[in-house]
Amino acid sequence: MAGPETDAQFHFTGIRKYFNSYTLTGRMNCVLATRGGIALLLYFKLGSKKTPAVKAT
Amino acid sequence: MNENLFASFAAPSMMGLPIVVLIVMFPSILFPTPSRLINNRLISIQQWLIQLTSKQLLAIHNQKGRTWALMLMSLILFIGSTNLLGLLPHSFTPTTQLSMNLGMAIPLWAGTVITGFRYKTKASLAHFLPQGTPLPLIPMLVVIETISLFIQPMALAVRLTANITAGHLLIHLIGGATLALINISATTAFITFIILILLTILEFAVALIQAYVFTLLVSLYLHDNT
């Protein structure tokens, strides 16, 4: 299982430092970003369905 | 053979009163509490079996995981004894009820997941993305891993229910076929009877194996989260 000693092996720079599929932090951030994106998508999709009267005007 | 093939899976009642709670509690009286340092044969054999099983199940766990030892051993003893008692003729088997198995699977699975999120939040979240996943596949794999997580308790419950129910149904069907064939062809009835014997032996094995598989999977989910 990945641990702190495994994370130290990888030397990413820039955005890859926080979003990658190798380090624990990178994997966690990717998971949170994916779920956050899906949550936002559902929020805006369901939000636009709820207000049909506003759309008609 | 019952008029209705599924009559044995109906909630049991005696003189109009439901006795399912009594049936669920019954296996516990088959495991007496040890009251002495050196106990009688029955308790000694049970202790030996429990020690053998617990050593094998808990070998992979760290100190945190071993706090679940009592829970896991109670689980395997309960499911194993309930399944075996269900093989007695005309008995009711609580583990054929999906409600019962979901009632066991969901809290245990949720307990392991919540334990993981509480004590190892980063590792629990990172677990949803396998290490080394190519960049374009990341969103899809996160979704797939999330779905597979939520399917775990369903699979646990349905696996146990389906295995035990199917076994009991097969015994009913083949037993009924044996009886029906006796007047038609004794040789065919004998062959069917041999198949029934083999199936009953298989069901004994399945009863114990399913208890072990259920407990082992809960143990593995716990190991992933501790």
Side-chain angles (χ1 to χ4, degrees):
Chain A
M1 194 173 257
E5 67 277 12
T6 315
D7 285 1
Q9 290 174 9
F10 304 102
H11 302 286
F12 293 108
T13 53
I15 198 166
R16 288 298 300 265
K17 193 177 172 185
Y18 300 103
F19 292 94
N20 62 75
S21 62
Y22 291 93
T23 61
L24 218 58
T25 313
R27 285 156 68 195
M28 182 187 75
N29 289 337
C30 285
V31 169
L32 290 172
T34 308
R35 287 191 185 162
I38 293 170
L40 277 172
L41 205 74
L42 286 170
Y43 175 75
F44 286 116
K45 212 166 169 58
L46 290 170
S48 65
K49 272 188 186 172
K50 270 185 187 169
T51 55
V54 174
K55 270 192 178 173
T57 54
Chain B
M1 189 174 160
N2 293 323
E3 293 167 0
N4 178 5
L5 197 60
F6 296 96
S8 59
F9 301 113
S13 60
M14 191 188 288
M15 294 187 288
L17 295 168
I19 54 167
V20 64
V21 174
L22 288 173
I23 294 173
V24 168
M25 286 166 58
F26 178 74
S28 62
I29 68 173
L30 301 174
F31 299 99
T33 309
S35 56
R36 295 195 170 95
L37 187 63
I38 311 288
N39 293 287
N40 58 32
R41 284 190 193 89
L42 174 68
I43 296 176
S44 297
I45 289 170
Q46 288 175 354
Q47 281 181 328
W48 173 75
L49 276 168
I50 288 167
Q51 194 184 13
L52 189 74
T53 318
S54 61
K55 272 171 84 171
Q56 206 267 323
L57 264 177
L58 297 167
I60 58 167
H61 287 289
N62 56 18
Q63 196 163 353
K64 189 134 203 74
R66 284 176 189 176
T67 57
W68 281 57
L70 182 61
M71 183 72 242
L72 293 173
M73 291 319 301
S74 306
L75 188 68
I76 193 170
L77 284 174
F78 173 70
I79 299 176
S81 57
T82 307
N83 288 350
L84 286 172
L85 284 170
L87 290 170
L88 293 168
H90 300 290
S91 64
F92 172 72
T93 318
T95 44
T96 55
Q97 308 300 307
L98 186 63
S99 55
M100 162 109 182
N101 295 333
L102 279 170
M104 288 193 293
I106 290 176
L108 288 168
W109 164 83
T112 61
V113 169
I114 290 168
T115 304
F117 274 103
R118 240 179 109 183
Y119 295 105
K120 287 168 68 177
T121 315
K122 199 188 254 192
S124 294
L125 283 169
H127 198 66
F128 287 97
L129 182 63
Q131 199 173 21
T133 307
L135 195 64
L137 292 175
I138 287 174
M140 189 179 76
L141 234 68
V142 170
V143 171
I144 287 171
E145 289 287 330
T146 308
I147 293 169
S148 75
L149 178 79
F150 285 100
I151 277 182
Q152 280 172 356
M154 305 298 147
L156 267 179
V158 170
R159 183 186 299 110
L160 182 57
T161 309
N163 269 287
I164 305 301
T165 308
H168 286 212
L169 272 175
L170 267 175
I171 288 174
H172 274 267
L173 284 167
I174 293 179
T178 309
L179 275 174
L181 284 168
I182 282 175
N183 293 326
I184 300 167
S185 164
T187 317
T188 318
F190 182 70
I191 294 168
T192 321
F193 181 68
I194 298 297
I195 294 171
L196 181 64
I197 299 290
L198 293 172
L199 183 66
T200 309
I201 295 167
L202 175 69
E203 284 309 308
F204 270 94
V206 165
L208 293 168
I209 288 167
Q210 285 306 313
Y212 177 67
V213 163
F214 194 104
T215 312
L216 183 69
L217 284 170
V218 171
S219 165
L220 286 174
Y221 299 154
L222 179 68
H223 180 64
D224 285 341
N225 286 295
T226 50

